[in-house]
Amino acid sequence: MIRVLFNKKGGVGKSSLTVNLAAISAHNGFKTLLVDLDTQCNSTAYLDAIKANDDSTIANLFEQTITFHLHRRAANEFCQPTKVKNLDIIAGSERLAELESELDSRHKIYKLKEALTSLSDDYDRIYIDTAPALNFYSLSALIAASRCLIPIDCDDFARQGLYSLQQKIAEIKEDHNSEMEIEGIIANQFMRNANLPIQIINELLDENYPVLPEYVSQSVKMRESHQAKSPLIELAPKHKLTLSLIGIFNLIESK
Ligand SMILES: Nc1ncnc2c1ncn2[C@@H]1O[C@H](COP(=O)(O)OP(=O)(O)O)[C@@H](O)[C@H]1O
Ligand SMILES: [Mg+2]
């Protein structure tokens, strides 16, 4: 099962949720891979997987599709273990930015799907973190995955982008990836005591958006977890933020 977390809006929790859901998946005994497609490499940093002179990043994987190699490396050679048991990563790279236009002009949009499909015996679950843009890499991810999770931060701007996002995903499904389903919208940074977040969620539900019935609250524990480079399931397994993330995981796994 390959899942992508996507929203064109930045700061909504894509990286935070991708890392934490992947870590919960690994703790549940699923052999799990996280693929970091954002040049900001936030999930790679969160999982403490940034290495100097690393030649096994996602950029190296894409690069070998546009350069000649006598021995093309298999996709699993780019997967490295993290400190979390059962959780591997294909690390992000700033170099994705410089490769993008050439990959795009040479129509390499299915290469990520090919690579991840070749890993289906190695991993039970794959989670893809994306940049806040519908660029070559996010499109590759939406083609490679069969499920899309859309985090929102419960403010009005997040809402405004959802309609066009849904249209775009429907178009990708029709043109490139008939398996693609929007698995749910994740209400993140939810503030229980404020009126606006619940009002926005209720409006989305009225409009039949698939908001998952488990809201992820805003908590300083999330930043502490980033700082400690340790996913919440390991740093604070009993914290209410962790429990809501486990709730999201259970919802998507039980579908
Ligand atoms: N549930 C949450 N509670 C508190 N802070 C959060 C929460 N989710 C995300 N954040 C914070 O919001 C910021 C943006 O989150 P991030 O996961 O990097 O978003 P994106 O990947 O969509 O840009 C980060 O500083 C992160 O620590
Ligand atoms: Mg991010």
Side-chain angles (χ1 to χ4, degrees):
M1 168 74 75
I2 305 178
R3 295 194 167 94
V4 55
L5 279 88
F6 181 61
N7 191 330
K8 283 185 280 183
K9 188 163 186 251
V12 292
K14 288 182 290 298
S15 303
S16 303
L17 294 168
T18 312
V19 167
N20 281 296
L21 291 174
I24 291 167
S25 163
H27 266 249
N28 274 267
F30 292 117
K31 187 79 188 141
T32 305
L33 176 71
L34 188 149
V35 182
D36 186 354
L37 282 184
D38 188 357
T39 50
Q40 293 183 60
C41 307
N42 290 337
S43 36
T44 307
Y46 192 172
L47 287 168
D48 204 12
I50 294 200
K51 293 189 200 147
N53 306 321
D54 192 348
D55 69 353
S56 296
T57 69
I58 189 71
N60 301 97
L61 187 152
F62 273 110
E63 192 171 33
Q64 69 168 3
T65 72
I66 50 173
T67 48
F68 178 73
H69 289 273
L70 271 181
H71 301 290
R72 193 163 275 191
R73 294 161 69 194
N76 63 13
E77 294 179 44
F78 297 88
C79 305
Q80 23 173 316
T82 69
K83 286 189 279 190
V84 179
K85 188 175 165 229
N86 275 335
L87 178 58
D88 291 355
I89 186 169
I90 301 184
S93 167
E94 286 178 10
R95 289 183 49 247
L96 285 179
E98 63 201 55
L99 296 172
E100 183 171 3
S101 63
E102 186 165 2
L103 288 166
D104 196 15
S105 65
R106 291 172 66 179
H107 311 295
K108 303 294 180 181
I109 202 75
Y110 290 98
K111 289 295 168 187
L112 183 68
K113 187 184 179 79
E114 258 172 57
L116 299 186
T117 305
S118 78
L119 294 172
S120 58
D121 287 342
D122 302 271
Y123 295 99
D124 306 311
R125 299 290 182 272
I126 298 179
Y127 284 83
I128 311 176
D129 185 21
T130 52
L134 190 61
N135 60 17
F136 169 85
Y137 300 109
S138 323
L139 192 54
S140 296
L142 289 163
I143 289 173
S146 55
R147 298 282 185 272
C148 179
L149 288 162
I150 304 175
I152 60 163
D153 57 3
C154 303
D155 87 7
D156 208 33
F157 295 132
R159 216 192 126 191
Q160 289 169 18
L162 276 181
Y163 182 73
S164 68
L165 192 57
Q166 222 185 15
Q167 296 292 101
K168 189 69 205 175
I169 293 172
E171 187 185 329
I172 292 166
K173 180 180 169 88
E174 189 171 312
D175 294 346
H176 301 280
N177 181 9
S178 58
E179 277 184 60
M180 168 53 69
E181 299 295 343
I182 297 179
E183 193 161 38
I185 293 171
I186 304 179
N188 185 33
Q189 306 191 36
F190 181 73
M191 287 183 283
R192 260 158 241 285
N193 300 326
N195 290 329
L196 187 63
I198 194 68
Q199 187 187 323
I200 287 175
I201 290 173
N202 284 336
E203 283 170 16
L204 290 174
L205 289 169
D206 283 347
E207 292 167 37
N208 290 322
Y209 282 99
V211 183
L212 295 176
E214 173 80 53
Y215 310 149
V216 181
S217 53
Q218 187 167 55
S219 164
V220 68
K221 255 304 174 241
M222 184 64 90
R223 282 169 215 263
E224 287 175 20
S225 164
H226 284 242
Q227 184 97 31
K229 297 186 186 303
S230 175
L232 286 154
I233 188 79
E234 303 212 321
L235 185 75
K238 299 274 185 308
H239 193 274
K240 67 176 186 345
L241 179 59
T242 316
L243 298 181
S244 61
L245 292 161
I246 294 171
I248 297 277
F249 178 78
N250 289 337
L251 279 173
I252 59 180
E253 283 293 333
S254 65
K255 278 196 174 182

